[in-house]
Amino acid sequence: MNENKLVHWFKYASPQSFYPLAGKMIPWFWALTAVFGIAGLWISFFVAPTDAQQGEGYRIIFIHVPTSWMSMFIYIVLACWAGLGLALNTRLSGMMAQALAPTGALMAFLSLWTGAFWGKPMWGTWWVWDARLTSELILLFLYLGFIALQAAIDDPRRADKAGAILALVGVVNVPIIYFSVKWWNTLHQGSSVSMTKSPSMATTMLWGMLLMALCFWMYSIAVALMRVRAIILEREAHTEWVKLLDEVKS
Amino acid sequence: MNAILAIIRRDLLLAMRRKSEVLTAVFFFVIVTSLFPLGIGPESALLKKIAPGVLWVAALLATMLGLQRMFAPDHHDGTLEQMLLSPTPLGLLVGGKIAAHWLLSGLPLVLLAPVLGLQFDLDAGALGVLMLALLLGTPLLSLIGAIGAALTLGLRGGGVLLSLLVLPLYVPALIFGAGAVEAHVSGLGAGGHLSLLAALLALAIFFAPWATTAALRIALE
């Protein structure tokens, strides 16, 4: 029976069987994105109280914090897929890593941009050379390096593997970079959400942020799946099963 | 061990037959650091303050120049494939090539830095710390750079791509290296920064040849 289960799961490591599965999952993740997004936006705009010190401008954190979380989380997921691809030599892992990279870069970019919008009224400046801002910027560079490396290699299998090594080297470096930039920590306020002590913000704000984080999470999954489907079609274009697909035939 | 020494000797010999390539990187270092005072102005207080950063950034860029040549010529004439097939572990041979790269592009910078530091009015103590930091830091640059060089082997636009991949990874070396000199100048003592730099170097000596080897195998597949 156990054997059956294994076969069942590893079946989806092949692009051919993952392609329809991803197609079935995408609408669900879009639906979840919409549900969490509407609930999150409603809470963040209408329920969460105006901040005593920061006024209405603070509401940008409902975008800023989730995008920062996602940018870091996606890099870790990307590195996991990359490591899996190197260890097991599965084709789908490389495609997943490739599909995640642009979303991660987008999240890092949004996080920096919303941070700048927040910083201008709050700190009076668009940018400060603080540890978290700087490491987020370097994270964006790491994403861009990953995308550029994969784009420069014509052979997709080599692109996957070379990208995987880069992602793994990067993921080892991310904490080192973070702690090294922390040395000249300046204006950034301390982290306001913490796992250990109770959060210093109102509960409704926290809910808004968590819902928005879930919304971005579901969005990232949905977009990555859509992109991975496109990558599968592109790379498997020569195969028989792709030619038989309805969307390809028409 | 013999294999490493043989590789180092070979790479140095090859470089000596084409001195211009090595000298170009060294002169690049000299020229870039000399351009900064021209762009910023001759106030010695300001120059003294930016000196560690300028010297370090120039050192990063100068080591970048030689990185592409670490594997590309050997890849081109097939030597690299022979190394892959040789009974000696590829990691050792790669270690030898990294050491040779450091001797050619890192060590000259370490030796030149105090002279250039004088242009920026650094005192003897600061110059000593700068040399020590570069001595620990430049091998780190060669080690991390080797990974990038192996990943971009034989790609079009490899040079620009290489800098995009490697420069973000150089950030910790830059921060601790330049930070060591700044900490010394401000009287805090450079010990902490230098220890961290040495720790990073130890980590890189262990992991970088390994990652480089993996990248080379992929490139030559």
Side-chain angles (χ1 to χ4, degrees):
Chain A
M1 198 186 100
N2 237 343
E3 230 175 64
N4 273 338
K5 249 186 188 167
L6 271 180
V7 171
H8 180 69
W9 277 107
F10 276 107
K11 192 179 109 183
Y12 292 110
S14 113
Q16 184 181 355
S17 47
F18 186 74
Y19 181 83
L21 176 72
K24 272 185 216 128
M25 289 196 299
I26 288 169
W28 289 101
F29 282 111
W30 277 123
L32 285 173
T33 308
V35 169
F36 287 128
I38 291 167
L41 285 175
W42 182 67
I43 288 187
S44 39
F45 276 109
F46 300 109
V47 179
T50 307
D51 190 84
Q53 292 158 6
Q54 306 181 355
E56 299 291 352
Y58 89 95
R59 289 185 200 275
I60 204 161
I61 65 156
F62 292 118
I63 302 287
H64 175 66
V65 174
T67 49
S68 317
W69 281 346
M70 286 314 296
S71 67
M72 290 177 257
F73 180 64
I74 289 177
Y75 199 83
I76 295 170
V77 175
L78 190 156
C80 287
W81 279 116
L84 209 64
L86 273 187
L88 301 178
N89 208 12
T90 44
R91 280 181 300 159
L92 190 63
S93 314
M95 298 183 193
M96 283 302 285
Q98 196 191 344
L100 280 166
T103 310
L106 174 74
M107 292 293 164
F109 177 77
L110 279 180
S111 153
L112 287 169
W113 199 228
T114 52
F117 274 140
W118 183 83
K120 187 61 185 164
M122 301 306 160
W123 294 336
T125 169
W126 294 104
W127 179 261
V128 288
W129 288 98
D130 147 272
R132 291 204 261 166
L133 273 76
T134 315
S135 30
E136 188 72 35
L137 182 68
I138 293 168
L139 186 65
L140 177 64
F141 291 158
L142 290 178
Y143 274 122
L144 294 181
F146 181 86
I147 296 171
L149 179 65
Q150 290 215 315
I153 305 178
D154 291 327
D155 172 25
R157 294 295 289 146
R158 189 189 161 191
D160 283 348
K161 289 182 178 171
I165 290 185
L166 184 68
L168 290 176
V169 171
V171 89
V172 172
N173 264 279
V174 164
I176 297 177
I177 291 172
Y178 177 73
F179 283 108
S180 64
V181 251
K182 211 170 174 179
W183 282 69
W184 20 281
N185 205 343
T186 44
L187 281 172
H188 208 297
Q189 63 175 20
S191 173
S192 30
V193 182
S194 144
M195 293 292 185
T196 48
K197 60 174 196 276
S198 61
S200 60
M201 57 167 65
T203 330
T204 43
M205 290 187 196
L206 186 67
W207 271 110
M209 218 154 76
L210 290 179
L211 283 172
M212 286 309 287
L214 282 171
C215 163
F216 276 101
W217 196 350
M218 296 303 129
Y219 163 81
S220 307
I221 296 176
V223 164
L225 286 178
M226 286 179 78
R227 205 173 282 126
V228 90
R229 264 166 70 96
I231 295 171
I232 290 175
L233 283 187
E234 223 172 76
R235 291 201 194 172
E236 309 279 300
H238 58 278
T239 56
E240 219 30 60
W241 71 269
V242 168
K243 285 176 192 143
L244 291 176
L245 286 172
D246 290 336
E247 55 263 46
V248 176
K249 268 193 285 192
S250 56
Chain B
M1 203 60 217
N2 272 334
I4 297 188
L5 290 179
I7 286 273
I8 296 177
R9 197 173 154 271
R10 167 183 172 274
D11 275 16
L12 292 184
L13 208 63
L14 282 174
M16 281 307 115
R17 302 239 166 98
R18 291 181 164 201
K19 292 191 191 66
S20 66
E21 286 181 0
V22 178
L23 288 176
T24 315
V26 173
F27 281 119
F28 175 82
F29 181 57
V30 175
I31 291 171
V32 167
T33 45
S34 311
L35 282 180
F36 273 88
L38 297 176
I40 288 166
E43 298 145 60
S44 69
L46 180 63
L47 288 181
K48 209 170 173 172
K49 201 159 176 345
I50 62 164
V54 167
L55 285 164
W56 261 93
V57 171
L60 296 191
L61 297 176
T63 41
M64 292 276 328
L65 289 183
L67 278 180
Q68 253 207 311
R69 281 197 313 277
M70 198 189 281
F71 300 115
D74 287 348
H75 178 53
H76 198 65
D77 64 14
T79 318
L80 207 57
E81 279 180 36
Q82 295 304 318
M83 289 182 185
L84 207 73
L85 297 172
S86 92
T88 325
L90 185 60
L92 282 181
L93 301 178
V94 164
K97 289 198 76 72
I98 297 173
H101 176 264
W102 177 71
L103 286 173
L104 288 170
S105 70
L107 195 58
L109 304 188
V110 178
L111 299 176
L112 261 177
V115 184
L116 296 172
L118 285 176
Q119 284 187 322
F120 289 83
D121 199 21
L122 289 177
D123 59 35
L127 289 178
V129 173
L130 176 68
M131 269 186 90
L132 200 57
L134 279 171
L135 198 60
L136 289 169
T138 42
L140 186 61
L141 303 182
S142 296
L143 284 160
I144 298 174
I147 304 175
L151 283 175
T152 55
L153 192 59
L155 301 184
R156 58 195 133 72
V160 188
L161 185 60
L162 180 61
S163 49
L164 187 61
L165 300 187
V166 166
L167 283 177
L169 301 177
Y170 278 175
V171 169
L174 172 65
I175 289 176
F176 294 131
V181 186
E182 270 156 31
H184 175 84
V185 171
S186 61
L188 289 169
H193 286 86
L194 291 177
S195 312
L196 280 166
L197 212 51
L200 287 179
L201 179 59
L203 265 180
I205 287 178
F206 185 76
F207 283 111
W210 183 59
T212 311
T213 315
L216 281 178
R217 283 191 202 282
I218 289 167
L220 291 175
E221 215 163 57

